[in-house]
Amino acid sequence: MSVASYRIARIVVDIAIERAFDYLIPDALVDDVQVGSRVTVPFGSRHVQGYVVKLISESDAGCTLKPITKRVSPIPYLDEQLLTLLSWISAYYGARMEQCIRTALPGPVRKTGAGFREQQAVRLVENANISQKNTEQQQRIIDLLRSAGGTQTVTAVLQQTRTSRTPLQTLVRKGVLALETAIQPRDPFAHSSVIRTEPLELMPAQQKALHLVLQLMKEEKPKPILLHGVTGSGKTEVYLQAIAAAIKCQQQAIVLVPEIALTPQTVSRFRARFGERIAVLHSHLSEGERHDEWHRIRTGNADVVIGARSAIFAPVPHLGLIIVDEEHEPSYKQSEAPRYHARDVAVMRAHQIGCPIILGSATPALESWSNAQRGKYILCTLPDRADYRQMPTVQVVDMRIEAERHGQPVIFAKDLLDAMQSRLQRKEQMMLFLNRRGFASSLICPKCGYVSECTSCSISHTYHKTQHALLCHICGGRRSVPEHCPQCSDPSFRYAGFGTQRLEDIVRKCFPHARVARMDTDTTRGKNGYDSILDGFRDRRIDILVGTQMIAKGLHFPNVTLVGIMFADMSLHMPDFRAGERTFQLITQVAGRAGRGEVAGEVFIQTYTPHHTAIQMARQMDYAGFASAELAFRQELFYPPHSHLICLHFRGANEAEVRLSSESVARMLQAEAPANLIIADATPAPLAKAKNIYRYQVMIRCKSVRKTLRYFRKIAASLPLPQTVTLALDVDAVDLM
Ligand code: ADP
Ligand code: ZN
């Protein structure tokens, strides 16, 4: 079929509507409109913008088609490959195509008006008649432009020749210089430099992994690789050398890392190997930087794209390899529509293109592990730390026994205190991990049991000492600390539980001479808060780093020889069937920060449930053992990875309406449910109210997502919800709060 026979464009408009619409391509635009074009079209009585997703020769719309008004920009924003991926996301996650496109294109790229940074430049006109009688200043300008290859921005010329605008304007008038606009790319790395590194000689296990990737690069439909490597086993080196191989074949790579791990430390390891040809995409960039990076990637001017979740949509022209580091991280799941899982989308993109993908982790998600067990993925293991460094020794401390010994619960076991003391003497560094920020978890009245709670959300306040205020961690609401119990007027309020602030306080009291710092969302709010704490720790200006899970991920500090995990059971008590898995992952990742240098590391796990499988297996560093016990438990309850979990979220300001809606939908679904479909009763979400919005949910466990969504749609169509209640679908739900 010749191109000329496409006269109709199927367009997804920027409006919250399920379907696409067909428009005529007027003669004047035939050469301009292509798949991915952004266009303006008439819609009802107004004009809206949209994207061309398909060119067709006949429409089944059954009405007269209106013509496209104009093309907004000459750039094709989406290609067929990405559109295929987005249609899959739209169908699988039950999201509108318009939402999927919005997610795939960074805001600053979509926005009309946003654009390249243009600067005024001057160019030395070729063959211009350059007079001999130039002033000294004019001559300086000409000399500079000659040495700069003929063109330079006006600002740079004025700065470097230290002249005023007058001589420059004179030269322009004489026809020696021409004024023009030049694109000035914004460079996120403008103010940092790194020392280049060379590929390391690989350990045998790393060698085997790399060899596998190279092998798969030659295959048409390679299976995904699950790279299970203990912490510090040198997964990153495998990534780097695999990427180098892709680049050698003129292809590009995408590297996904969790937002929290997207530290300068991670990025600079890639920059040190690949230099300028790295592009980054994440939320800390300015709008202009994101805009320019996206265009740099699209035009093939970056070999490696590193970014968080949405970087999986990077418009690389010749994708040859995808890497998903820390593939088990829950932050790969987007919590708003489209509620996609970036790891699974990455697997799909690799499958559609036919390129290899590496999913790397020390603690793979059970979904990925089970895919490897079933032969869908190829399992590749790095069982030892690189350079034969030892894994740390791990001790589980039963805090119930410690409490009995002291007649009351204690914060630190004696052995941990002793170990900290000895590290301070040896000038080694340590990390203390506690998965809760703030000072105390709540304010409790010992007399009547009153607990201060947020009035908009169904959780108790957290006491923050630095602000001397009670804060809600859901809505950010704050309340001053009451003098007496608001319920019984008793003045002897007490702080129950504790957070990182209080832990920091206690550490300072126990070790007055130690240099202590804290890392959590409260101390890293400023633009450079995170970096400055890490720099201080790296430069050994800090002895003890106290932190939340922010310190658990991907950090590499060779002088850390001791890690203390306070309240290791905290995450076990979450109302989530993945609580055991999360706990195992957290302990393993935190413990992995210890002993990454010359001196072996030691880890203390303080817990009130020392015999729990997650804790015992983490102590033995037995991932496979944990996975097999956990998979058996999940099998019994038909939980993922043995099924898919779809969560229906009902939200609204009127509790009765939210509850009734969720109950009737659950009942209707249950009434005709086909086999292999388990529909639970409607329940309030664990976080039952947030920001004055009530939350109910219905959990569906099924074998086939597509069939279930079809069934759900049929039922939902016959059951209109009240205006005030919203219903959202979360396919393969990760966050059950
Ligand atoms: P992971 O990503 O698996 O946690 P890293 O890639 O951070 O592990 O590697 C841990 C340390 O081991 C790093 O300092 C890295 O430079 C070093 N390393 C990795 N591979 C090798 C190797 N083949 N030889 C020597 N050192 C290595
Ligand atoms: Zn609140």
Side-chain angles (χ1 to χ4, degrees), residues 200-203 206 230-237 269 386-387 556 596:
L200 297 171
E201 195 175 318
L202 295 181
M203 309 278 291
Q206 287 173 310
V230 297
T231 53
S233 57
K235 294 185 285 295
T236 312
E237 188 62 34
R269 285 179 77 178
D387 224 6
H556 180 68
R596 294 170 75 98

Side-chain angles (χ1 to χ4, degrees), residues 196-200 237 272-273:
R196 285 296 277 253
T197 59
E198 293 301 319
L200 297 171
E237 188 62 34
R273 196 64 61 84

Side-chain angles (χ1 to χ4, degrees), residues 366-368 370 374 577 631 634 639-644 703:
L366 283 177
E367 283 80 358
S368 305
S370 117
R374 292 186 298 139
F577 71 93
L631 282 175
R634 304 262 182 105
Y639 271 127
H642 300 287
S643 64
H644 289 277
K703 273 292 182 198

Side-chain angles (χ1 to χ4, degrees), residues 82 104 185 283 339 345 412 430 456 515 541 602:
L82 265 177
S283 57
R339 294 175 146 85
V345 170
F412 285 106
M430 54 207 117
S456 316
R515 296 162 303 173
R541 279 178 277 123
E602 197 177 6

